[in-house]
Amino acid sequence: MQSFRDGDVSSSLMYFDRADESDGSLRPYLWQRGISYYYLDQFRQGSDQWDIACLTRIDPQSFPQPKQMALPNGKKDRRKIMSTVYSLYRGDGATERDLAEAGHSGNIADEFYSLFYLGLYCEIRGEASKAETYMKAAVASKYATGPGEGDYMTSCARVHCKLRGWA
């Protein structure tokens, strides 16, 4: 994971592959591996571990993909804001504005996740300028620069900006 945090996405994938090869039962828990695939533009390989972004990049013309992006039955994401994220990405009710507003709940983690996933959403839709604005705001958020600095997803936002030349 440190390789990814350092911006060495190829090496991070190598380490995740080693973990998968040494113990195949780990695969469902290697969601970070899917993120590495995403940043290496290997969306199909990453889609079974990070569906929310990879599936949309496989065929952007079919975005959103209803019923494709969801947690397994019986699973819930501990982050309250993620229900709005999934709804936006599935195209089943939430709008970009809804997610932006959900990020202003007073919870600094929700603010970060709102900005991060809005950045990905706009990038998928080909709105690079908006994507950059959202992602830079995610990196500069109170959560990413404070208590969430060690959160893997704040590292994703930083790596995203670095790889896109937005840092």
Side-chain angles (χ1 to χ4, degrees), residues 6-162:
D6 293 339
D8 187 356
V9 180
S10 294
S11 289
S12 73
L13 183 59
M14 178 188 66
Y15 290 119
F16 289 128
D17 285 346
R18 282 188 194 163
D20 184 42
E21 290 165 8
S22 71
D23 184 354
S25 69
L26 292 175
R27 179 168 257 216
Y29 307 100
L30 292 175
W31 55 269
Q32 300 96 333
R33 181 183 187 208
I35 293 171
S36 293
Y37 275 124
Y38 178 87
Y39 286 108
L40 293 170
D41 294 333
Q42 296 177 25
F43 309 119
R44 189 155 314 279
Q45 295 92 321
S47 66
D48 67 338
Q49 292 172 316
W50 201 43
D51 67 345
I52 198 163
C54 289
L55 283 174
T56 58
R57 295 296 297 271
I58 291 170
D59 183 10
Q61 301 307 315
S62 66
F63 176 69
Q65 299 179 355
K67 298 180 184 163
Q68 289 265 340
M69 290 171 265
L71 294 172
N73 286 336
K75 299 283 184 181
K76 284 193 90 163
D77 196 303
R78 64 179 169 71
R79 299 163 297 174
K80 184 179 143 193
I81 197 164
M82 292 306 290
S83 62
T84 307
V85 171
Y86 275 107
S87 180
L88 174 65
Y89 277 67
R90 285 191 306 259
D92 65 6
T95 64
E96 182 179 341
R97 182 178 178 171
D98 292 334
L99 183 52
E101 288 177 2
H104 294 294
S105 67
N107 179 313
I108 62 172
D110 284 352
E111 176 191 29
F112 165 78
Y113 282 102
S114 170
L115 293 165
F116 176 77
Y117 283 107
L118 283 167
L120 287 178
Y121 178 78
C122 289
E123 182 173 84
I124 292 161
R125 293 171 50 106
E127 299 172 324
S129 179
K130 281 174 68 175
E132 180 179 358
T133 299
Y134 281 131
M135 200 60 73
K136 283 177 155 180
V139 169
S141 72
K142 289 180 183 176
Y143 181 73
T145 60
E149 187 174 18
D151 181 323
Y152 198 78
M153 297 310 288
T154 62
S155 295
C156 289
R158 287 188 288 277
V159 168
H160 192 101
C161 287
K162 179 180 178 184

